[in-house]
Amino acid sequence: MSAENTADVRAGGAPLIEFRNVTRTFTTGKSSSVTAVDDVSFSVAPGEVYGVIGFSGAGKSTLIRLINGLERPTSGTITVLGREISRLSESKLRHVRSRIGMVFQQFNLFQSRNVAGNVAYPLKVAGWSKAERELRVQELLEFVGLADKAKAYPEQLSGGQKQRVGIARALAAKPDILLADESTSALDPSTTGEVLRLLRRANEELGITIVAITHEMEVIRSIADRVAVMDKGKIVEEGHVYDIFSNPRDHGEITFVGSALKDRPTAEDLSRIRQHTSGRLVTVSLKDSATVGAVLGSAAEHGVTFEIVHGGMNTTKNASFGLLTLALEGESQAVQQFVDSLKAAGPVQEVREGQEAQK
Amino acid sequence: MIDTYRNLDWDYYGPELIDALWETIHMVMVAFAISAWIGLTLGLLLYTTRAGGLLANAAVFWTVNFLVNTIRPIPFIILIAALQPVTIQLLGTGIGNTAVIHAMVWASSFGIARIVEQNLVTIDPGVVEAARAMGASRLRIIFTVILPEAFGPLILGFTFVIIAMIDMSALAGIVGGGGLGNFAIVEGYQRFRPEVTWLAVAAVIVMVHLLQILGNLGARKVLRR
Ligand SMILES: Nc1ncnc2c1ncn2[C@@H]1O[C@H](COP(=O)(O)OP(=O)(O)OP(=O)(O)O)[C@@H](O)[C@H]1O
Ligand SMILES: [Mg+2]
């Protein structure tokens, strides 16, 4: 029955996961409570990689655990694979869970089972026969590049290898959704890349929808299509990774994205910059870097000189983005004209010193 | 000293000692075969019904916890005496090895319950969560995740309990039972023959060492360290 629902959802292109006004409050004492997830609504389409990023304690883990019913909402509705899981009993929930794989920060491998045994466990739960299980385990270990480690036990593996086993185990029962809670936070940068590539392949080759939770911008940048920024239980920004990272927003808040990317000058940066220039400071988005480059090349024609005082480029799953802060000197009229032509090439934000400076 | 033992009446003490040894082994094995299951069940109940557990249930947890805390601290010699009416009701006799086995089952079941609970709480909750996330049922998680993950420490815990049970069985003489304890008191102590008492001591020491070696080997094999 859950299989039929899954098929319907996919055919209709309806969201695979949908949160409507979901709140989760924990009682922490007689009269105290923590609202870990606060009136959150979002949806994830089939085949999408949805990233959730935020500071520690923002409620990310609680959010992801609500998706497979490890945590129940205090209010609101959660629909996953066409079923309203917030109303399902624990035993009905098991059917939905078997369609959702989960990868953990601390890997959570069974110490009492070897690699093959770990990967085979969800298959046993799903009732696969021994012969089917053996074939599938072999296939998965090849997918994650650990075919030679089938007989090894978790303590004999490196962190990256453990997480690859974790991913193989999560993918074993051919789930529709993969949940990754800080799947790379316990790994070093090179191993992180290895695990992220694997997640990306799972999405691209197997068509699995992924929800990835992280506090590392790197993870969002390299695998996510869309991203939600969480802060104190709420989703404060949401959109395509490319847009969120490349638009200088004007509301002047210290956003997670801004502070993580260090893409705009801080107050200290500004005072240092001001020591050697008095020009007009603007931040330009490199959404279309070729056009911006062309405009910069024409600076002399405008009678304007510019200096790059801050910024850089970053690469997402399928595009590059970045912000450049420029100090422009020349006739104020000429500078204004130059800024107008920059605006034609991409969003431009005035750097307002003192109040606007980012932490 | 060697002469003392060379001149001992082995034709008499030899068979007596072996009989006593077998009686001890018999008492411990029968009692353990029963209490291991009761203790394991109670320990699993304590672990799973605690707040935040798989089968969280305050009433069950409180009841089992209370029972364990009530029965476990009773000194074994008092327990034998106190249980005698129950023993008679249940087994038709209040004396002999059977009566001792009965008391040993009570004492060790509740001891095992605590040891099982203590070993289970050290399991990483993450693996239980992983199994839940895969859609495993609670019973399946108990039998295919929780118990296997704790198997190594459980072997050591059970070894500890068996050794404690050898200790308990030594009091069998009080209610007309046999075994090494009775042998040491009746043949040695009461007849002022310390060298005979020491035969029982030696037998117990050898038994305990062998058990501990076996337990350690088993745990090492399971834990792979
Ligand atoms: N079971 C619980 N009982 C009480 N409070 C909880 C519980 N789980 C989470 N919280 C609280 O909810 C808030 C959000 O926690 P959560 O683990 O979801 O954050 P997070 O964004 O995943 O943080 P991190 O990046 O550190 O993992 C925190 O204040 C936390 O203390
Ligand atoms: Mg977390």
Side-chain angles (χ1 to χ4, degrees):
Chain A
M1 55 187 167
S2 62
E4 279 167 35
N5 277 336
T6 310
D8 289 349
V9 166
R10 289 213 149 160
L16 226 49
I17 301 170
E18 188 168 21
F19 274 50
R20 244 175 285 143
N21 307 102
V22 174
T23 296
R24 175 64 164 107
T25 304
F26 293 105
T27 327
T28 47
K30 277 224 167 64
S31 56
S32 58
S33 63
V34 181
T35 302
V37 171
D38 192 358
D39 192 24
V40 162
S41 303
F42 70 95
S43 59
V44 181
E48 204 175 16
V49 180
Y50 191 81
V52 179
I53 190 162
F55 295 116
S56 181
K60 308 180 299 290
S61 294
T62 310
L63 183 85
I64 207 169
R65 290 158 51 82
L66 283 162
I67 297 174
N68 61 357
L70 288 175
E71 207 71 76
R72 298 284 189 152
T74 311
S75 65
T77 53
I78 301 172
T79 314
V80 176
L81 295 163
R83 316 199 87 203
E84 197 187 318
I85 60 151
S86 30
R87 301 227 193 294
L88 291 183
S89 66
E90 181 82 12
S91 59
K92 291 248 175 61
L93 205 49
R94 295 209 328 255
H95 284 289
V96 182
R97 284 186 184 148
S98 64
R99 315 293 321 130
I100 306 174
M102 193 166 189
V103 181
F104 305 86
Q105 176 172 2
Q106 296 305 332
F107 326 125
N108 293 352
L109 299 182
F110 304 123
Q111 303 297 316
S112 55
R113 292 168 198 275
N114 61 20
V115 167
N118 267 277
V119 179
Y121 189 84
L123 301 174
K124 276 191 189 165
V125 171
W128 291 42
S129 76
K130 190 164 191 291
E132 288 173 316
R133 286 203 303 264
E134 276 167 8
L135 272 175
R136 181 71 181 150
V137 168
Q138 185 60 31
E139 196 177 299
L140 282 157
L141 291 183
E142 271 158 28
F143 182 75
V144 302
L146 288 175
D148 54 329
K149 296 281 184 201
K151 297 240 150 48
Y153 280 87
E155 76 269 12
Q156 299 163 327
L157 303 176
S158 71
Q161 290 172 331
K162 282 184 197 163
Q163 195 57 297
R164 276 144 70 191
V165 176
I167 292 173
R169 185 177 68 173
L171 295 176
K174 304 192 171 169
D176 298 292
I177 300 172
L178 185 67
L179 306 177
D181 187 357
E182 304 275 8
S183 58
T184 58
S185 303
L187 306 174
D188 62 40
S190 76
T191 330
T192 294
E194 197 174 277
V195 167
L196 292 179
R197 273 191 295 281
L198 198 51
L199 289 177
R200 186 147 36 159
R201 277 176 61 210
N203 172 249
E204 286 166 0
E205 294 171 26
L206 312 173
I208 290 174
T209 306
I210 299 180
V211 178
I213 297 256
T214 184
H215 61 262
E216 300 164 311
M217 197 54 74
E218 180 59 31
V219 174
I220 298 293
R221 219 162 32 213
S222 60
I223 64 169
D225 298 308
R226 280 197 303 143
V227 61
V229 181
M230 259 191 115
D231 189 24
K232 303 194 186 79
K234 290 192 177 290
I235 291 187
V236 292
E237 282 181 71
E238 194 201 26
H240 289 275
V241 171
Y242 180 60
D243 294 331
I244 290 230
F245 286 175
S246 56
N247 283 337
R249 274 160 306 279
D250 232 343
H251 45 69
E253 285 170 37
I254 299 166
T255 61
F256 185 92
V257 174
S259 67
L261 284 177
K262 299 187 177 60
D263 58 356
R264 271 165 280 187
T266 63
E268 289 133 49
D269 292 336
L270 281 175
S271 62
R272 194 166 27 73
I273 291 166
R274 273 304 172 213
Q275 283 169 12
H276 63 88
T277 177
S278 55
R280 178 172 168 187
L281 296 180
V282 294
T283 298
V284 58
S285 162
L286 296 177
K287 250 185 152 167
D288 184 352
S289 53
T291 316
V292 172
V295 175
L296 291 181
S298 70
E301 291 161 30
H302 285 87
V304 171
T305 58
F306 71 88
E307 185 191 349
I308 297 173
V309 292
H310 195 92
M313 292 286 285
N314 284 291
T315 310
T316 61
K317 193 172 172 183
N318 36 33
S320 300
F321 65 89
L323 295 179
L324 278 188
T325 300
L326 307 168
L328 307 173
E329 296 202 56
E331 292 275 327
S332 68
Q333 192 75 24
V335 168
Q336 184 55 46
Q337 273 180 12
F338 184 68
V339 170
D340 289 342
S341 40
L342 271 178
K343 276 184 179 153
V348 175
Q349 188 188 20
E350 212 72 37
V351 177
R352 269 165 285 167
E353 289 153 73
Q355 108 201 59
E356 185 71 15
Q358 299 228 339
K359 206 176 80 182
Chain B
M1 193 184 112
I2 291 171
D3 282 343
T4 321
Y5 284 103
R6 195 175 287 149
N7 300 332
L8 202 68
D9 181 4
W10 283 106
D11 287 342
Y12 173 73
Y13 289 115
E16 281 288 305
L17 182 67
I18 288 179
D19 275 356
L21 184 64
W22 278 120
E23 278 188 76
T24 293
I25 292 175
H26 172 250
M27 282 188 279
V28 171
M29 279 195 3
V30 173
F32 179 73
I34 300 168
S35 61
W37 298 109
I38 301 176
L40 191 62
T41 311
L42 292 175
L44 272 171
L45 275 178
L46 283 172
Y47 170 74
T48 53
T49 60
R50 62 174 41 234
L54 269 182
L55 308 167
N57 183 322
V60 175
F61 178 79
W62 195 88
T63 311
V64 177
N65 194 46
F66 179 81
L67 269 176
V68 172
N69 277 349
T70 307
I71 299 187
R72 215 161 63 100
I74 303 175
F76 188 63
I77 192 161
I78 299 177
L79 189 69
I80 297 179
L83 277 176
Q84 205 170 39
V86 185
T87 314
I88 294 170
Q89 278 292 315
L90 225 59
L91 304 170
T93 171
I95 55 164
N97 287 353
T98 324
V100 178
I101 289 172
H102 177 233
M104 280 166 72
V105 167
W106 280 86
S108 56
S109 292
F110 292 97
I112 291 173
R114 257 317 163 229
I115 284 174
V116 169
E117 182 201 21
Q118 280 163 7
N119 285 321
L120 297 187
V121 293
T122 63
I123 300 176
D124 175 8
V127 298
V128 176
E129 172 137 322
R132 278 184 72 205
M134 290 172 207
S137 69
R138 286 176 279 208
L139 271 187
R140 182 191 283 272
I141 294 174
I142 290 172
F143 290 107
T144 65
V145 177
I146 291 172
L147 287 179
E149 290 290 303
F151 195 45
L154 280 179
I155 291 178
L156 292 175
F158 279 131
T159 308
F160 177 86
V161 171
I162 295 175
I163 290 169
M165 290 172 81
I166 294 176
D167 189 6
M168 293 178 198
S169 76
L171 290 175
I174 308 274
V175 287
L180 288 169
N182 187 53
F183 173 87
I185 298 299
V186 174
E187 301 289 346
Y189 181 74
Q190 288 173 358
R191 293 183 189 166
F192 306 106
R193 304 205 58 168
E195 71 276 18
V196 175
T197 308
W198 276 95
L199 282 179
V201 173
V204 168
I205 290 174
V206 170
M207 209 156 55
V208 168
H209 274 278
L210 283 177
L211 270 169
Q212 196 61 57
I213 289 168
L214 273 178
N216 289 349
L217 279 177
R220 182 183 292 252
K221 193 163 159 54
V222 170
L223 290 170
R224 303 180 298 279
R225 66 181 129 86

